Every structure is written in structure tokens, then in C-alpha cells.
Amino acid sequence: MNSGPIRRLFSLATLSLLILTVALTGPLLAEGAKKELKAGIIGLDTSHAIAFTKMLNTGNPTGELAGIRIVAAYPKGSPDIKSSYERVPKYTEQVKKMGVEIVDSIDELLKKVDVVFLETNDGRPHLEQALPVLKAGKPLFIDKPIAGSLTDAVALFELSRKYNTPMFSSSSLRFSKGAQNLRNGGEGKITKCSTHSPCSLESTHPDLFWYGIHGVETLFTVMGTGCQSAKRTVSNKDRDEVVGKWSGGRVGQFSGVRKGTPGGYGGTAVGKNGEVPVGGYDGYKPLLVEIVKFFRSGKPPVSEAETLEIYSFMEAADESKRQGGAEVTLASVLEKAKKEAHKKLAKLDLAGGDLSETDNKLSSAEKAAGWKLLFNGKDFSGWKCNNGKTIAAPIENGTLVPYKSGGYLIVYEKPVGDFTFKCDVKMPEECNSGVFFRVGDLNKPVQTGFEAQVISGKGTGMHDFGAIYDLVAPAVNRASAPGEWTNFEITCKGPQISVAVNGKVVASLNADEWTEAGKRLDGSNHKFKQAVKDFPRKGYVGFQDHGHKVWYKNVKLLEL
């Protein structure tokens, strides 16, 4: 009997069965291979926290909701909105019954979780609450409203970039079937849209932020970005109406209803088939699915640009109301908010970072000219404290920060004589520091070297930004605003010294002319015990620690 064909047939059957088994179990293995995510909640003062916990922690979640569980919650939310803080005890007990541990601080929460839902109903504490989450690198969803002001919304996204931590915010209305169908081209290009939603007011928030955000987000879901201006056309105790103008002549309108019609959530849009309904509210699950997908991928389903445009629209609506119904551009309110956000972050000593791909590198032209990069953005190679100690301060996001370094100065190890030195500096709102150069004695830096003043404020005295400290006042104060980068350039060639700020020389002197100790050229007194002409013509360059954080990047030197 020839068994060869039978063996071959058996082998083929076995192989086919194996392939079929892999094909059938592959999806199951992939599903099972999903990382189990531990989620945390900040703020138990909204029904969203209860709804999300119930969908993830009870029953047998499937699909995108499988493999993630809320394990811990920090309950505190609004400090003073009664409708919020009164819910906390009841909601705390509800989530505890669903297996959630209650913790006493956000820091404790972060030790236990991979991802975070920021659910505090009050948008005002969001910036403070989000900061430790973003610093810890935990992907973050911020429930509506993203913040209590456009300024804080801008600041949140700046922090997200600074700490390279993904985050997004959205109303659940964005992911309703009707709005998503129109968003994805179901009716072609939408030329006009009108949405409505309930719009209760909260005195601590701009008018539409508190609840009108639902209908506004629906409007932007359908229309997309490109809104240029907003005008408040109706504002009374019963309702608010805002008309927005989009690029290309498109128009969108939002109606926030407190009393009267239309009720609930909805609207209409005009597309290729004429006027069609926008659709209403489809529950929390579509939003939760998108949140979980985001937690796993790190890719926000709503862009920073669109979120800030939504909140700029609502802020422009408020500004329009203040101006009696005038048309207000979104760009104007966003620009103002960005400046305020920079100041706010500067106050919090969070102004560092914001590096580009070209920072802390020499360009081809600089290399050809002989420039030397003194700071690599990674460590303190070539730098030391003036007292000889190891530098104790950390590198912050590619920037050199002298604050709490362990010495009065951080100095470059090699003394130089004739040179051009340049760097970019960023100050907090309260700042007093300086760039020292030609320091002859590291034990006596103040009396044996020059200082170019780094200080907040807009003055033009001998102790203001750009001054050659206590000797020559700047002709003009060209410092950028706190939280923004300022370019500094110092040139020393023989007795000639100059300081340039943002490309323009603001202070200069010829040391050979300063022949009298303690006296300026006009006869007034200065602090130095020797004549300026006798200052060392060669010395160290460095940065002062004067009790305030200051950030430096692009630190470069050209010996002349």
C-alpha cells in the first residue's frame, strides 16, 4: 500500500486547519493583546464621571471599551459653584461602589493610573489640575468646558506641547451620528448651518462656555474651521444668538435657549441636497469610544486649532456683547488671549521650552564664520559654577536655567577677550538677573566684570533690560514680553563694548574714556571700586542666579 499520497493529504489538511485556526483566533489574540489601561478621574461633580465609570467598570465592555478600567478618582472639583460641589459626596459613593479607589491628591492619583479624565465641571481649576498630569506625561481628556477662559485654554495647549503630553477636549455632541455624517461629507460642502442647544449661564464663566458649548461644538463639527468673526445678535434672559462668518462666504448661527423654542439639541444645515437636519444628542458612549481610542493611540480626534477656534468664537461673542453687538474677529480675541497666557505661564515659572529643530545648533553660515556653540541643549558640558561647584540646576526642555545652580553665576569654562556673544533669553513676569562678561575674578564677579541687565519691565534706566549695569542705560527697551524669547548680543573688542537687543544696539561704551573709579562720564556715581578702563580685557561669560528663573538657549560665541 502506497501511504505517500495519504500522508501528503493529511499534511495539507493539517496545514489548512492551522491556517484557519490562526485566521479565526488572530482577531481574538489582537484584542487580548491590548494593553490593560488604568484610568483615573479628577473631579466628581458631573454626571459624566458617573456615566463613564459605569460604561467601563460594569458589565462586560466590548470593542474599543474593552481593556480599560477606572481605578482611582480625586473627587474635589469646583471650590464655589454650589451645583457642582454639592454633588461630590453622592457621586463619590457611586463610583466607590463601582470599584474606584478615592485618593486625597492628584499626585497620588497619578501614581496609580496610565491615563486621566479631567471631569471637574468648573473650567476655572482645569489649568492647575491639568498641570501635574501633563508633567507626568499621562494622556489627558478634559471635559467641557476646557477652561474658564480662552486664556487658560491657550495655556493648556502650550503646556501640552511643552511636556509633549497629548490632550484634547470635546462635547459629547460632536460625535452624534448626524453631526459626524455632515462632517464627513454626507451632504457635500456645507454652506450654512444653524444649531441650537440649552444654554444655562454660570456667572463665573463666559456666557456660552458653561452649557452653550454643546451647540457651538455641534456648529463647528458641521462647519469645520475657518470662522473669521462673530456677532451677538440676541442676548436676553431667555436666549442668546450668535452669527459667525466663515471663509468663502459661509455662515453659521448658534442659538442658546434658556426659555422657549426650539428645545433640546439640534439644527439644520444646507448642503448638496438642500436643507437637512443636523441631528441631536446620541448619549455619552460615542464620545467615550473616541476618548479610549485617543488614550491608546495618543492622537487627539479634535485638533488644537479647532478647539481654540471654538472658544475664540464664544469669547468673540462675549466681546461683541460688550461692544453692543459689534462684529468681532476671532483673531483679535485669540491674539489677546495668547499674550495673557504667556504672562500667566511666566508667573507660574513655566515659560521655558518652545524649542524648534534649529535651536541649540550652528547654522552653516555660523560654522563657516567660526562661531562656537557653548550650550548643546542636553547637558552642562563646558560649564561650571563660579564657586567651583557642580551645577545643581537641571536642563529644562533644552534650555539652560541658572536658578538654584549652586553658585552666583554659571560660567563657561574658558575665559575670552575680544568676542561677540549671543543667546536667546526668556523671562518670567517677575525677573531680575543678568548676563556677565569679561569677569576677571570668579570670586569677585560683580567688581571684576560687566553685566548686561536681564530684568522685567519697560524702563530705560541703568538697571533696566539691556543696560550695561550701573554704567550705561539702554537707549530703548527692546525686551520681548515675559514668556517670549528675546535675542541678546554682546560684543567686546578692546575697550569698545556694546549690547544689542533683538537686533539693535541699545547700549555701548568705550572703557578707555572711563578713567575715574566710582564715577560715570557725567560725574554721577556708580558702584564699581575701580575705573572702568582698568576692568579686565579678558574674562569669563556667564549667567546670574539672582533668585528668579530665566531660560537661555542658542548660546554662541565668536572670538574676534
Side-chain angles (χ1 to χ4, degrees), residues 440-499:
D441 185 347
L442 291 180
N443 293 317
K444 300 177 181 179
V446 173
Q447 286 294 324
T448 64
F450 295 96
E451 176 187 356
Q453 182 74 64
V454 174
I455 192 169
S456 53
K458 285 297 181 181
T460 53
M462 280 179 283
H463 297 167
D464 287 310
F465 195 99
I468 302 174
Y469 185 80
D470 211 43
L471 297 173
V472 179
V476 62
N477 191 322
R478 292 178 56 82
S480 303
E484 298 178 4
W485 290 106
T486 301
N487 180 256
F488 232 142
E489 190 167 302
I490 300 167
T491 298
C492 296
K493 190 171 179 62
Q496 302 292 335
I497 295 172
S498 66
V499 175

Side-chain angles (χ1 to χ4, degrees), residues 149-415:
S149 67
L150 179 58
T151 294
D152 278 12
V154 171
L156 280 163
F157 280 111
E158 289 200 10
L159 292 175
S160 174
R161 287 193 301 276
K162 173 183 171 68
Y163 295 110
N164 196 28
T165 302
M167 65 166 235
F168 90 100
S169 179
S170 177
S171 158
S172 56
L173 271 292
R174 170 176 288 273
F175 298 105
S176 65
K177 291 179 181 177
Q180 284 296 306
N181 174 57
L182 295 172
R183 172 81 173 204
N184 295 323
E187 290 293 327
K189 185 176 181 179
I190 301 301
T191 58
K192 188 176 181 179
C193 181
S194 177
T195 63
H196 59 83
S197 74
C199 189
S200 57
L201 302 178
E202 166 53 49
S203 61
T204 58
H205 288 61
D207 284 359
L208 306 186
F209 279 45
W210 185 248
Y211 217 84
I213 175 62
H214 290 305
V216 174
E217 184 125 28
T218 303
L219 178 64
F220 275 81
T221 303
V222 174
M223 295 289 288
T225 56
C227 184
Q228 298 174 329
S229 66
K231 181 177 182 179
R232 185 88 69 107
T233 55
V234 176
S235 183
N236 57 47
K237 64 182 180 63
D238 295 334
R239 66 192 301 114
D240 285 293
E241 293 184 3
V242 184
V243 175
K245 290 183 180 179
W246 266 252
S247 57
R250 299 186 301 144
V251 178
Q253 177 175 323
F254 165 70
S255 297
V257 183
R258 289 179 285 279
K259 182 179 180 181
T261 58
Y265 307 92
T268 58
V270 177
K272 64 183 180 181
N273 294 314
E275 188 173 278
V276 295
V278 168
Y281 171 59
D282 291 337
Y284 294 132
K285 185 175 180 180
L287 171 60
L288 183 58
V289 166
E290 294 299 324
I291 296 170
V292 174
K293 287 164 64 176
F294 157 74
F295 282 156
R296 293 197 179 281
S297 70
K299 298 178 181 178
V302 188
S303 70
E304 171 186 344
E306 184 161 350
T307 299
L308 289 181
E309 192 167 308
I310 289 169
Y311 283 83
S312 295
F313 174 87
M314 295 190 293
E315 176 60 28
D318 257 27
E319 183 60 30
S320 175
K321 179 182 176 181
R322 288 189 285 268
Q323 295 183 22
E327 186 174 347
V328 175
T329 65
L330 273 61
S332 66
V333 297
L334 182 58
E335 181 62 26
K336 180 181 178 182
K338 286 181 176 179
K339 291 179 180 179
E340 291 174 347
H342 287 154
K343 291 180 180 179
K344 192 163 192 173
L345 292 178
K347 283 183 178 180
L348 294 172
D349 271 355
L350 295 168
D354 301 332
L355 298 189
S356 72
E357 292 183 0
T358 59
D359 281 327
N360 298 324
K361 297 177 183 177
L362 293 176
S363 67
S364 298
E366 287 173 329
K367 290 178 181 178
W371 283 89
K372 182 176 182 180
L373 183 68
L374 300 191
F375 172 61
N376 61 20
K378 300 175 182 178
D379 56 46
F380 287 111
S381 298
W383 292 82
K384 62 182 180 180
C385 288
N386 68 298
N387 56 15
K389 293 182 179 179
T390 301
I391 297 171
I395 302 296
E396 292 193 11
N397 297 292
T399 64
L400 185 156
V401 185
Y403 181 62
K404 293 187 177 180
S405 61
Y408 182 73
L409 299 178
I410 290 178
V411 297
Y412 187 64
E413 60 185 358
K414 178 186 174 183

